[in-house]
Amino acid sequence: MVVLGSGGFLGRHIGDAFAAQGARVHAVTRNSSDRTPHGAATGSRTTPIDLLTTPPQEVAEFLGSVGADVVVNAAGRAWRADEAQMTAGNAELVLRLVTALEQVPGPPIRLVQLGSVHEYGAGAPNTGTGEEHEPTPVTAYGRTKLLGTQTVLRAAQDRTVEGVVLRLANVIGAGVPEGSLFGRVAAHLAAAARAESRGEKAAELRLPPLAAARDVVDARDAADAVVAAATTVGVAGRVINVGRGEAVGTRELIDRMVRLSGLAVPVVEETAAAMSRTDVDWQRLDVSRARRLLGWRPRRSLDASLRDLLAAALPSSSTRLGGVPDVASRRAPLDAPTTAPVDERK
């Protein structure tokens, strides 16, 4: 099987998950300078291919040469990119990939496309957004990811590619990019830990308003869903939500990260940034289809995800990560409806 974007945050976790199942993973990165996937030590092979410049025929030849029966597309652009760059990475790349897959001889290849909750746009408070919800994205990321989803679903309908789209909630865990909110917070806490080790006072953490509610899922849980989607019969042409099925406040999560770090870092919301916000205030996924079709459900607690994130980011000598009761123990079960929005932001 082949993982595209294997040097990225999710691609590395996905490669690990397949390797743990004994799969022979062919890892594809944009160029040879990309980070080696975690699973490389367990038998995966890494090949540099720029999917935006390599002709689809050459990509098809590569896929045929390695005997690809499953391709996971974890490539794309999310952080520190403008709409044109996101269009290239999230829409044009998918079109080129589908064109390549259609040229590989033999039966259609299973393509697992990683979509995003941001394709939906706003969800209704206290209600989980299901796969039949009409997408109305309000961000460049959501719009361009939706274009990629539509390309895969058209190819699946034409039976030229056995495509399935996983619409992922906001993903957190070890290695989260610094361009994301959680990566930014982790980087600040790492700097605060280094300052503390020098006997200096930690700088305050200044963030945009943290007034939204989001669904958040652990990277390892997301990777497990990818493995299930790659191996389950009868899901071609489907969109399947992957999340925790609850809306969590960003402010709650950020405060939790700080508490788990054991660092005395004040969190300050910069209200002036509110006027420039274009994202939505509430997102919660209905994940019942994933349970029904894939036999999948999230297994990691929010605290486990945050501890993994912090352990990977903080200097090892300063990582405390303990002494605070698990936030999951204070929350409603995953199958229970969330009764009120809480502060959260991506």
Side-chain angles (χ1 to χ4, degrees):
M1 63 84 54
V2 175
V3 179
L4 309 177
S6 61
F9 167 48
L10 265 175
R12 289 160 65 85
H13 285 281
I14 291 166
D16 283 351
F18 276 102
Q21 297 294 320
R24 187 175 185 182
V25 180
H26 294 272
V28 174
T29 61
R30 184 170 54 186
N31 54 60
S32 57
S33 65
D34 286 343
R35 294 178 300 171
T36 301
H38 294 165
T42 58
S44 69
R45 296 183 177 182
T46 303
T47 303
I49 299 177
D50 188 333
L51 297 166
L52 283 172
T53 60
T54 303
Q57 180 59 40
E58 291 185 20
V59 176
E61 291 171 359
F62 163 75
L63 296 174
S65 71
V66 300
D69 55 349
V70 173
V71 173
V72 177
N73 182 27
R77 295 296 300 271
W79 311 111
R80 296 172 178 170
D82 58 27
E83 186 155 1
Q85 292 169 321
M86 290 185 186
T87 299
N90 300 332
E92 294 174 15
L93 183 150
V94 178
L95 181 59
R96 293 171 67 89
L97 171 60
V98 166
T99 301
L101 288 168
E102 292 173 336
Q103 297 179 39
V104 180
I109 292 174
R110 172 65 59 90
L111 169 62
V112 182
Q113 166 72 11
L114 303 189
S116 169
V117 63
H118 294 283
E119 296 175 42
Y120 286 125
N126 307 319
T127 302
T129 301
E131 291 86 351
E132 303 307 322
H133 179 86
E134 185 67 27
T136 53
V138 299
T139 64
Y141 180 66
R143 290 189 293 270
T144 58
K145 290 297 288 184
L146 179 59
L147 291 173
T149 288
Q150 292 168 338
T151 295
V152 172
L153 295 181
R154 282 194 299 268
Q157 185 176 20
D158 294 340
R159 300 183 183 277
T160 55
V161 174
E162 200 175 71
V164 56
V165 177
L166 300 185
R167 276 205 176 120
L168 304 180
N170 300 273
V171 183
I172 59 175
V176 67
E178 286 191 17
S180 70
L181 174 62
F182 295 108
R184 174 181 173 184
V185 173
H188 186 94
L189 292 174
R194 290 190 291 271
E196 182 185 77
S197 70
R198 298 189 298 267
E200 301 171 2
K201 183 179 179 180
E204 64 183 15
L205 174 59
R206 304 191 69 85
L207 296 171
L210 304 173
R214 294 280 189 276
D215 201 327
V216 181
V217 68
D218 188 281
R220 294 166 299 169
D221 282 330
D224 289 344
V226 172
V227 172
T231 56
T232 300
V233 176
V235 296
R238 307 298 293 268
V239 173
I240 302 175
N241 289 339
V242 173
R244 284 184 56 83
E246 61 178 357
V248 186
T250 306
R251 181 62 194 240
E252 177 183 350
L253 285 168
I254 299 309
D255 286 344
R256 190 67 178 173
M257 285 180 67
V258 175
R259 291 176 64 194
L260 287 171
S261 75
L263 297 162
V265 176
V267 178
V268 178
E269 297 182 45
E270 297 184 334
T271 56
M275 297 302 294
S276 64
R277 176 143 176 93
T278 60
D279 210 344
V280 299
D281 292 328
W282 172 275
Q283 289 173 330
R284 176 164 73 88
L285 291 175
D286 177 347
V287 295
S288 58
R289 181 178 289 184
R291 290 198 296 268
R292 185 174 70 254
L293 297 183
L294 303 179
W296 174 91
R297 63 183 298 133
R299 297 190 294 114
R300 282 85 178 183
S301 71
L302 292 173
D303 271 14
S305 302
L306 295 176
R307 286 191 175 99
D308 285 350
L309 192 165
L310 290 167
L314 297 182
S316 58
S317 60
S318 67
T319 304
R320 301 164 189 189
L321 307 185
V324 181
D326 194 323
V327 68
S329 66
R330 300 184 289 105
R331 306 192 65 82
L334 291 180
D335 290 334
T338 303
T339 57
V342 283
D343 292 355
E344 201 250 277
R345 175 178 230 85
K346 186 172 184 293

